[in-house]
Amino acid sequence: MKNCMKTQKNRRLLFGYDIADGKRVVNPSEAAVVKWLFEKYVSGYSYKRLAVLLEDSSVKYRSDDSGWNKNMVQRILSREEYCGTNGYPQIIDQETYDIVQCMRNRKAEYLAVKLDWPKEFREKIFCYHCGSRIVRKHPGTTINWQCQSEGRTTNDFITDEILQDEIVNKMNQIIQNPKLLQIEEETAFSTSLAIMQANNEILQQIQQKERDEKEIELLIFHAAAMRYQNCSALDNTYYTKELVELYSQSNISEKPDYGLIEHSVKRILLASNGQIYFEMINGKII
């Protein structure tokens, strides 16, 4: 990148222009930098990366300062005067300018949504197919997600905003139909044949006194463990009743109810086709 032929100390004019005979004229060297910035931004370069590249070059934003920062880059990319408005000669075509503004607005919305998400909420996202952690990826200028275990990547362009909308839709779907939360009735404790045999053996040993207290104590613990394994605590049935009551009392919303999701959703499962599912605290996947 060539050095500018002439730079302004106070930058009263936009970068890329000079004054000649009382009129604004294009500064060829600076105009080349402006075109380069627009082209690189369209190809996916960030403000910060562009500022670093300019910082390492011989290009100066002001005659008394060779420093560049992302705010300077952002300022150049935001000015419509480069399209030939407000008495400035044209440097950038309108189509390129419009593309850049669209990209800038989209990134601003994406960052706003990201900052609005609680960290604990984002950490609930897992791969639908293998259950592993899933992380955001940025191949090129697209945004998708990849599971850390199998490396499976989502097919679609999925920003935080899109994902948030899908989560809102799923939340509202359950609010409108809490019956989706229902699970099969869990059976309460029932004594199995093996447990009955273990209990009978303990009684026989106590009556016959053929074993000492330590051995009988071990038999009792073994029988108790068998009873515990065969006993349903009915936790999921209890959670289901709580969930149905919770969602029945909730109202449809245009934004995620983080409190509701935090207390009712164990994991948010993201499939490779972009669909999301809720794994509820009662084990039901919706």
Side-chain angles (χ1 to χ4, degrees), residues 35-52:
K35 291 179 180 179
W36 178 83
L37 283 172
F38 274 81
E39 290 171 0
K40 289 299 182 182
Y41 189 81
V42 170
S43 67
Y45 284 55
S46 66
Y47 298 145
K48 184 176 181 180
R49 186 178 180 188
L50 290 170
V52 169

Side-chain angles (χ1 to χ4, degrees), residues 176-187:
Q176 289 177 305
N177 186 13
K179 290 183 179 180
L180 293 171
L181 296 162
Q182 296 290 351
I183 60 173
E184 293 184 7
E185 286 288 335
E186 292 181 293
T187 57

Side-chain angles (χ1 to χ4, degrees), residues 150-211:
E150 299 182 357
R152 185 183 288 103
T153 305
T154 55
N155 302 326
D156 300 328
F157 176 84
I158 305 175
T159 63
D160 275 356
E161 185 178 20
I162 293 173
L163 186 59
Q164 189 182 52
D165 287 343
E166 291 298 318
I167 290 172
V168 170
N169 291 337
K170 183 65 68 175
M171 180 189 74
N172 288 333
Q173 179 188 3
I174 301 174
I175 290 174
Q176 289 177 305
N177 186 13
K179 290 183 179 180
L180 293 171
L181 296 162
Q182 296 290 351
I183 60 173
E184 293 184 7
E185 286 288 335
E186 292 181 293
T187 57
F189 167 74
S190 60
T191 304
S192 67
L193 177 61
I195 293 175
M196 294 177 63
Q197 291 174 341
N199 289 336
N200 290 335
E201 183 181 354
I202 292 172
L203 291 174
Q204 290 176 4
Q205 295 299 330
I206 291 175
Q207 292 172 354
Q208 297 175 5
K209 299 182 180 179
E210 294 181 355
R211 300 194 182 190

